[in-house]
Amino acid sequence: MVEELKEKVFKANLDLVKHGLVIFTWGNVSAIDRGKGLIVIKPSGVSYETMKVSDMVVLDLDGNIMEGNLKPSSDTPTHLVLYKAFPEIGGIVHTHSTYATSWAQAGCDIPNIGTTHADYFSDAIPCTRPMTKEEVEGDYEKETGNVIVERFKELNPVHIPGVLVGNHGPFAWGKNAAEAVYNAVVMEQVAKMAYISYGINPQLTMNKYLITKHFERKHGPNAYYGQK
Amino acid sequence: MVEELKEKVFKANLDLVKHGLVIFTWGNVSAIDRGKGLIVIKPSGVSYETMKVSDMVVLDLDGNIMEGNLKPSSDTPTHLVLYKAFPEIGGIVHTHSTYATSWAQAGCDIPNIGTTHADYFSDAIPCTRPMTKEEVEGDYEKETGNVIVERFKELNPVHIPGVLVGNHGPFAWGKNAAEAVYNAVVMEQVAKMAYISYGINPQLTMNKYLITKHFERKHGPNAYYGQK
Amino acid sequence: MVEELKEKVFKANLDLVKHGLVIFTWGNVSAIDRGKGLIVIKPSGVSYETMKVSDMVVLDLDGNIMEGNLKPSSDTPTHLVLYKAFPEIGGIVHTHSTYATSWAQAGCDIPNIGTTHADYFSDAIPCTRPMTKEEVEGDYEKETGNVIVERFKELNPVHIPGVLVGNHGPFAWGKNAAEAVYNAVVMEQVAKMAYISYGINPQLTMNKYLITKHFERKHGPNAYYGQK
Amino acid sequence: MVEELKEKVFKANLDLVKHGLVIFTWGNVSAIDRGKGLIVIKPSGVSYETMKVSDMVVLDLDGNIMEGNLKPSSDTPTHLVLYKAFPEIGGIVHTHSTYATSWAQAGCDIPNIGTTHADYFSDAIPCTRPMTKEEVEGDYEKETGNVIVERFKELNPVHIPGVLVGNHGPFAWGKNAAEAVYNAVVMEQVAKMAYISYGINPQLTMNKYLITKHFERKHGPNAYYGQK
């Protein structure tokens, strides 16, 4: 059905380990074939060391399993909500990477205080509000997606390709699985540097026009970074 | 006598090195065969690089050496107390892993402030009280076990599979040696993230119902994480 | 034209990865052949894993491409300004290394508080002032070079072989590409240690005569460190 | 003359790299043959990657080179002072390891706040006083040894096998080169954990009797750790 996409999602999941973003089974990557309306995602709780391409699970947008013998990631309903709400995105990553998760546990947005951040995110990396008891005890993983979407009501998910779910951890996304992994690495690195920077100078500031400059150097019609 | 268990304890000890939890000889893993009443534990002060399966020491629950030519870990009396007090556990790990030990040195419980923590521990990771002069100068390693057991008087060791011994370091446990190592890795990772999170926001909070949700997602009758 | 220099610049770029100073394509090294008036620099946005010696771009001091099929690093105008302003230097490195970048984001000079720092830098590692809106929206990368030069108006770039560009990250230099990489590693290491030291004791001090002693032990007419 | 000792000092120097205590040439190990009155030490500024056993320099206690074609470490006079003042020690290590150096830069003793520390040091790891202008501009490396010896006027160098030289970095020692390296690793690890622990709880405490218990568990007539 979507063999090539399964290969890419498989590889993207292993890249999380390579980049030091996950230990054990604490992360998952998915991607979507918008034409076919099919999503490929990591199976739940399967070790990265023994996982095979054929273990990837294929679902439709309603969460029905179309291919695969394993249960999909328990976070699948969150991924489905995001694919429906953000039609521009093609891949999603969830991890418990150390520094991004620490900001999520702190319940704080990661302020945009450097060009490393501004090269990929046009503003702060937002943190969701605490989920209510009803949301947590109801359809929890779906509601997790909903609080992310709520947080992006006035934000552009293409310009801000990631979020912190409060007390939980980061989700990142991109036009495909590889770009979502890339953005997850960026989030972890800027989370670490922001933590250190505020330790040095709690009163630090950054001018908005420098953020805009760097974001537009890499994105949009006037981008001039790289070989394109 | 317990060849298979010796293999598993040997491997679990090496896994401590692989996961970066120990340097030199600063850690030990044991496991118990409840049916036979036999415990297998790492020998004292033996390098992980040269250690062999046959170096594992087999003891009964009173600490009598039943097999092996080396002295058992100097922490053996602590392990024995825990196996007797917590009949549900099958493996124990002790390390001086960096962040968990730092919390132990600080004399503080690690608050449950994120889903990574809540996935494996139903509450804070407790820290024991300071040991008295009599306890330290008496049967020290046995008393170390006793202060852990005292700390769990109103706690469930299956739901909270680890502890910090004040000014010393972490002990973790599980249904077998491998799960004990797993929980030791979890403790180190949540210890690191809690340290960073409080550096970002000393006033952070987490709702109890989110802790419960995550713990029960992985444990108990309604668990739905993984392939089981 | 400058084959040997291309080899050296290529190797110096890979050394950034080896020393853990860059992830993805977040860094670049250049070197200059003063006799021929030619600069060799990394191409823009090319992965270190697939990059070849022949990908290096050769430019004159006005930025005209003399050899190579790829676009040069987007930071090239900054390098050109520095080569013109600092005639003693032969190689330049730019990275987003974690701790140096964190100090840059904090907008603070790295104070000279230890002999590790003083062995290579005769004073604090300076941070540039915030760039104006006009500078950022104008010829941005060239203006980045200009604010560095402005910061060095009363500083000696041979005695202080590096700078932090505010909200951005470190530039380091040296008599050639290899020495520039060396100094970039020094900056990252002293940035990390200064961060930790101030966490331990915000009131720490260092005597100027100890700084001078260490700098002159390794540099200048009375140097006696090493085999020369 | 002392071929076996040269092999051991060579290996001990490489172990500094293996344990992550040094980058570039920022460290040195020496050892002494008390019977022959000969010291073996790393040459100055030689890369660990290309260094050979035959590069080790042999000196007498007055610093006269007895064997070897290279200049000895620039820190040699410090080593000589320590070998003369502390007749019980057989090996010395100097590094700029990250956390120990950060405490040295902070000018603070590392308090003995955990059993990891107490297993090897019977008290705080002391930091020397700032050196005077005369000391620094005089016979600097020898005076560095003198301030260390001054700091140990009322301390036992066998029970406290290491020191922080203020604004500089750690020296560690032991009965031979290998034990000195071991103690240097201990210092770096306890320096890191103490930094983190005080970040968690600035008011932490440790009872003296627990320190004594752990030190004597590994040292002295009643030691019972390990296989001896």
Side-chain angles (χ1 to χ4, degrees), chain D residues 204-227:
Chain D
L204 68 87
T205 59
M206 184 175 183
N207 290 314
K208 179 65 185 168
Y209 53 80
L210 182 55
I211 295 173
T212 303
K213 170 68 187 181
H214 266 267
F215 188 74
E216 295 185 350
R217 200 165 83 138
K218 291 212 178 185
H219 302 86
N222 297 316
Y224 59 92
Y225 181 91
Q227 297 299 329

mmCIF file of all heavy atoms in Angstrom, chain D residues 204-227:
data_model
loop_
_atom_site.group_PDB
_atom_site.id
_atom_site.type_symbol
_atom_site.label_atom_id
_atom_site.label_comp_id
_atom_site.label_asym_id
_atom_site.label_seq_id
_atom_site.Cartn_x
_atom_site.Cartn_y
_atom_site.Cartn_z
ATOM 1 N N LEU D 204 21.487 21.669 52.028
ATOM 2 C CA LEU D 204 21.739 20.241 52.308
ATOM 3 C C LEU D 204 22.831 20.054 53.354
ATOM 4 O O LEU D 204 23.701 20.906 53.528
ATOM 5 C CB LEU D 204 22.102 19.518 51.011
ATOM 6 C CG LEU D 204 23.421 19.849 50.333
ATOM 7 C CD1 LEU D 204 24.552 18.996 50.889
ATOM 8 C CD2 LEU D 204 23.279 19.584 48.844
ATOM 9 N N THR D 205 22.796 18.929 54.041
ATOM 10 C CA THR D 205 23.805 18.617 55.059
ATOM 11 C C THR D 205 24.172 17.135 54.994
ATOM 12 O O THR D 205 23.448 16.330 54.416
ATOM 13 C CB THR D 205 23.275 18.887 56.482
ATOM 14 O OG1 THR D 205 22.106 18.081 56.669
ATOM 15 C CG2 THR D 205 22.934 20.340 56.705
ATOM 16 N N MET D 206 25.301 16.776 55.598
ATOM 17 C CA MET D 206 25.678 15.361 55.732
ATOM 18 C C MET D 206 26.330 15.190 57.097
ATOM 19 O O MET D 206 27.146 16.011 57.506
ATOM 20 C CB MET D 206 26.653 14.938 54.640
ATOM 21 C CG MET D 206 26.993 13.431 54.678
ATOM 22 S SD MET D 206 28.046 12.943 53.273
ATOM 23 C CE MET D 206 28.192 11.172 53.538
ATOM 24 N N ASN D 207 25.961 14.104 57.780
ATOM 25 C CA ASN D 207 26.538 13.839 59.097
ATOM 26 C C ASN D 207 27.971 13.338 58.969
ATOM 27 O O ASN D 207 28.267 12.498 58.118
ATOM 28 C CB ASN D 207 25.697 12.798 59.833
ATOM 29 C CG ASN D 207 24.353 13.360 60.249
ATOM 30 O OD1 ASN D 207 24.283 14.467 60.785
ATOM 31 N ND2 ASN D 207 23.278 12.633 59.976
ATOM 32 N N LYS D 208 28.829 13.839 59.828
ATOM 33 C CA LYS D 208 30.239 13.465 59.813
ATOM 34 C C LYS D 208 30.435 11.961 59.998
ATOM 35 O O LYS D 208 31.297 11.348 59.371
ATOM 36 C CB LYS D 208 30.981 14.239 60.917
ATOM 37 C CG LYS D 208 32.467 13.937 61.046
ATOM 38 C CD LYS D 208 33.276 14.359 59.823
ATOM 39 C CE LYS D 208 34.730 13.930 59.936
ATOM 40 N NZ LYS D 208 35.477 14.061 58.685
ATOM 41 N N TYR D 209 29.598 11.345 60.840
ATOM 42 C CA TYR D 209 29.795 9.903 61.094
ATOM 43 C C TYR D 209 29.521 9.049 59.863
ATOM 44 O O TYR D 209 30.066 7.965 59.721
ATOM 45 C CB TYR D 209 28.964 9.427 62.298
ATOM 46 C CG TYR D 209 27.482 9.757 62.256
ATOM 47 C CD1 TYR D 209 26.605 8.990 61.512
ATOM 48 C CD2 TYR D 209 26.959 10.833 62.984
ATOM 49 C CE1 TYR D 209 25.241 9.286 61.481
ATOM 50 C CE2 TYR D 209 25.597 11.132 62.961
ATOM 51 C CZ TYR D 209 24.742 10.362 62.205
ATOM 52 O OH TYR D 209 23.406 10.662 62.174
ATOM 53 N N LEU D 210 28.700 9.551 58.941
ATOM 54 C CA LEU D 210 28.456 8.796 57.703
ATOM 55 C C LEU D 210 29.677 8.904 56.776
ATOM 56 O O LEU D 210 30.053 7.943 56.105
ATOM 57 C CB LEU D 210 27.191 9.305 57.015
ATOM 58 C CG LEU D 210 26.773 8.587 55.740
ATOM 59 C CD1 LEU D 210 26.620 7.074 55.957
ATOM 60 C CD2 LEU D 210 25.457 9.157 55.198
ATOM 61 N N ILE D 211 30.302 10.079 56.778
ATOM 62 C CA ILE D 211 31.547 10.254 56.014
ATOM 63 C C ILE D 211 32.604 9.278 56.515
ATOM 64 O O ILE D 211 33.225 8.543 55.742
ATOM 65 C CB ILE D 211 32.055 11.709 56.141
ATOM 66 C CG1 ILE D 211 31.073 12.691 55.498
ATOM 67 C CG2 ILE D 211 33.452 11.840 55.519
ATOM 68 C CD1 ILE D 211 31.412 14.155 55.726
ATOM 69 N N THR D 212 32.790 9.276 57.824
ATOM 70 C CA THR D 212 33.806 8.407 58.425
ATOM 71 C C THR D 212 33.540 6.946 58.098
ATOM 72 O O THR D 212 34.442 6.197 57.719
ATOM 73 C CB THR D 212 33.821 8.614 59.952
ATOM 74 O OG1 THR D 212 34.062 9.998 60.211
ATOM 75 C CG2 THR D 212 34.893 7.758 60.611
ATOM 76 N N LYS D 213 32.280 6.540 58.249
ATOM 77 C CA LYS D 213 31.905 5.147 57.976
ATOM 78 C C LYS D 213 32.327 4.750 56.558
ATOM 79 O O LYS D 213 32.954 3.711 56.347
ATOM 80 C CB LYS D 213 30.393 4.990 58.125
ATOM 81 C CG LYS D 213 29.827 3.674 57.642
ATOM 82 C CD LYS D 213 30.284 2.515 58.518
ATOM 83 C CE LYS D 213 29.854 1.172 57.948
ATOM 84 N NZ LYS D 213 30.285 0.064 58.807
ATOM 85 N N HIS D 214 31.961 5.590 55.575
ATOM 86 C CA HIS D 214 32.247 5.210 54.190
ATOM 87 C C HIS D 214 33.736 5.245 53.888
ATOM 88 O O HIS D 214 34.240 4.377 53.182
ATOM 89 C CB HIS D 214 31.448 6.075 53.209
ATOM 90 C CG HIS D 214 30.168 5.413 52.830
ATOM 91 N ND1 HIS D 214 30.036 4.623 51.722
ATOM 92 C CD2 HIS D 214 28.971 5.363 53.462
ATOM 93 C CE1 HIS D 214 28.813 4.128 51.667
ATOM 94 N NE2 HIS D 214 28.140 4.575 52.700
ATOM 95 N N PHE D 215 34.435 6.233 54.426
ATOM 96 C CA PHE D 215 35.875 6.278 54.154
ATOM 97 C C PHE D 215 36.551 5.039 54.728
ATOM 98 O O PHE D 215 37.375 4.402 54.065
ATOM 99 C CB PHE D 215 36.501 7.563 54.726
ATOM 100 C CG PHE D 215 37.923 7.714 54.292
ATOM 101 C CD1 PHE D 215 38.222 8.083 52.988
ATOM 102 C CD2 PHE D 215 38.972 7.440 55.156
ATOM 103 C CE1 PHE D 215 39.536 8.192 52.557
ATOM 104 C CE2 PHE D 215 40.281 7.542 54.735
ATOM 105 C CZ PHE D 215 40.571 7.922 53.441
ATOM 106 N N GLU D 216 36.162 4.659 55.930
ATOM 107 C CA GLU D 216 36.816 3.523 56.587
ATOM 108 C C GLU D 216 36.340 2.171 56.050
ATOM 109 O O GLU D 216 36.999 1.160 56.263
ATOM 110 C CB GLU D 216 36.625 3.624 58.105
ATOM 111 C CG GLU D 216 37.336 4.861 58.640
ATOM 112 C CD GLU D 216 37.312 5.000 60.155
ATOM 113 O OE1 GLU D 216 36.577 4.238 60.798
ATOM 114 O OE2 GLU D 216 38.029 5.880 60.673
ATOM 115 N N ARG D 217 35.207 2.172 55.329
ATOM 116 C CA ARG D 217 34.755 0.944 54.667
ATOM 117 C C ARG D 217 35.727 0.559 53.558
ATOM 118 O O ARG D 217 35.891 -0.606 53.247
ATOM 119 C CB ARG D 217 33.359 1.204 54.073
ATOM 120 C CG ARG D 217 32.554 -0.023 53.786
ATOM 121 C CD ARG D 217 31.083 0.323 53.552
ATOM 122 N NE ARG D 217 30.833 0.746 52.184
ATOM 123 C CZ ARG D 217 29.756 0.360 51.475
ATOM 124 N NH1 ARG D 217 28.840 -0.417 52.014
ATOM 125 N NH2 ARG D 217 29.576 0.782 50.255
ATOM 126 N N LYS D 218 36.366 1.559 52.961
ATOM 127 C CA LYS D 218 37.287 1.300 51.844
ATOM 128 C C LYS D 218 38.749 1.477 52.209
ATOM 129 O O LYS D 218 39.636 1.083 51.441
ATOM 130 C CB LYS D 218 36.947 2.226 50.663
ATOM 131 C CG LYS D 218 35.619 1.884 49.990
ATOM 132 C CD LYS D 218 35.652 2.207 48.497
ATOM 133 C CE LYS D 218 34.330 1.817 47.842
ATOM 134 N NZ LYS D 218 34.318 1.989 46.395
ATOM 135 N N HIS D 219 39.063 2.139 53.322
ATOM 136 C CA HIS D 219 40.454 2.457 53.656
ATOM 137 C C HIS D 219 40.753 2.097 55.109
ATOM 138 O O HIS D 219 39.897 2.203 55.966
ATOM 139 C CB HIS D 219 40.731 3.950 53.446
ATOM 140 C CG HIS D 219 40.458 4.402 52.053
ATOM 141 N ND1 HIS D 219 39.198 4.789 51.647
ATOM 142 C CD2 HIS D 219 41.265 4.501 50.968
ATOM 143 C CE1 HIS D 219 39.249 5.127 50.354
ATOM 144 N NE2 HIS D 219 40.477 4.956 49.925
ATOM 145 N N GLY D 220 41.999 1.759 55.361
ATOM 146 C CA GLY D 220 42.437 1.544 56.738
ATOM 147 C C GLY D 220 42.263 0.104 57.191
ATOM 148 O O GLY D 220 41.839 -0.766 56.423
ATOM 149 N N PRO D 221 42.564 -0.149 58.462
ATOM 150 C CA PRO D 221 42.631 -1.527 58.970
ATOM 151 C C PRO D 221 41.302 -2.274 58.941
ATOM 152 O O PRO D 221 41.274 -3.489 58.831
ATOM 153 C CB PRO D 221 43.121 -1.343 60.425
ATOM 154 C CG PRO D 221 42.822 0.076 60.776
ATOM 155 C CD PRO D 221 42.909 0.846 59.499
ATOM 156 N N ASN D 222 40.169 -1.539 59.016
ATOM 157 C CA ASN D 222 38.885 -2.225 59.077
ATOM 158 C C ASN D 222 38.126 -2.211 57.748
ATOM 159 O O ASN D 222 36.930 -2.485 57.709
ATOM 160 C CB ASN D 222 38.021 -1.598 60.178
ATOM 161 C CG ASN D 222 38.668 -1.768 61.539
ATOM 162 O OD1 ASN D 222 39.156 -2.847 61.861
ATOM 163 N ND2 ASN D 222 38.710 -0.685 62.318
ATOM 164 N N ALA D 223 38.823 -1.901 56.661
ATOM 165 C CA ALA D 223 38.171 -1.851 55.352
ATOM 166 C C ALA D 223 37.606 -3.222 55.005
ATOM 167 O O ALA D 223 38.237 -4.243 55.268
ATOM 168 C CB ALA D 223 39.166 -1.401 54.293
ATOM 169 N N TYR D 224 36.420 -3.252 54.400
ATOM 170 C CA TYR D 224 35.827 -4.542 54.030
ATOM 171 C C TYR D 224 35.215 -4.517 52.634
ATOM 172 O O TYR D 224 34.542 -5.456 52.224
ATOM 173 C CB TYR D 224 34.801 -4.994 55.074
ATOM 174 C CG TYR D 224 33.638 -4.051 55.320
ATOM 175 C CD1 TYR D 224 32.445 -4.181 54.624
ATOM 176 C CD2 TYR D 224 33.726 -3.030 56.274
ATOM 177 C CE1 TYR D 224 31.367 -3.349 54.863
ATOM 178 C CE2 TYR D 224 32.659 -2.181 56.513
ATOM 179 C CZ TYR D 224 31.481 -2.341 55.819
ATOM 180 O OH TYR D 224 30.411 -1.507 56.039
ATOM 181 N N TYR D 225 35.443 -3.444 51.877
ATOM 182 C CA TYR D 225 34.967 -3.381 50.490
ATOM 183 C C TYR D 225 35.952 -4.113 49.586
ATOM 184 O O TYR D 225 37.156 -4.050 49.802
ATOM 185 C CB TYR D 225 34.852 -1.915 50.058
ATOM 186 C CG TYR D 225 34.352 -1.732 48.652
ATOM 187 C CD1 TYR D 225 32.986 -1.600 48.382
ATOM 188 C CD2 TYR D 225 35.239 -1.711 47.583
ATOM 189 C CE1 TYR D 225 32.518 -1.427 47.084
ATOM 190 C CE2 TYR D 225 34.774 -1.543 46.279
ATOM 191 C CZ TYR D 225 33.419 -1.402 46.033
ATOM 192 O OH TYR D 225 32.967 -1.241 44.755
ATOM 193 N N GLY D 226 35.451 -4.785 48.566
ATOM 194 C CA GLY D 226 36.308 -5.444 47.579
ATOM 195 C C GLY D 226 36.715 -6.833 47.999
ATOM 196 O O GLY D 226 36.154 -7.408 48.954
ATOM 197 N N GLN D 227 37.707 -7.398 47.291
ATOM 198 C CA GLN D 227 38.036 -8.815 47.463
ATOM 199 C C GLN D 227 39.238 -9.036 48.373
ATOM 200 O O GLN D 227 39.672 -10.159 48.555
ATOM 201 C CB GLN D 227 38.282 -9.452 46.091
ATOM 202 C CG GLN D 227 37.050 -9.435 45.192
ATOM 203 C CD GLN D 227 35.875 -10.202 45.775
ATOM 204 O OE1 GLN D 227 36.064 -11.180 46.497
ATOM 205 N NE2 GLN D 227 34.653 -9.741 45.503
#
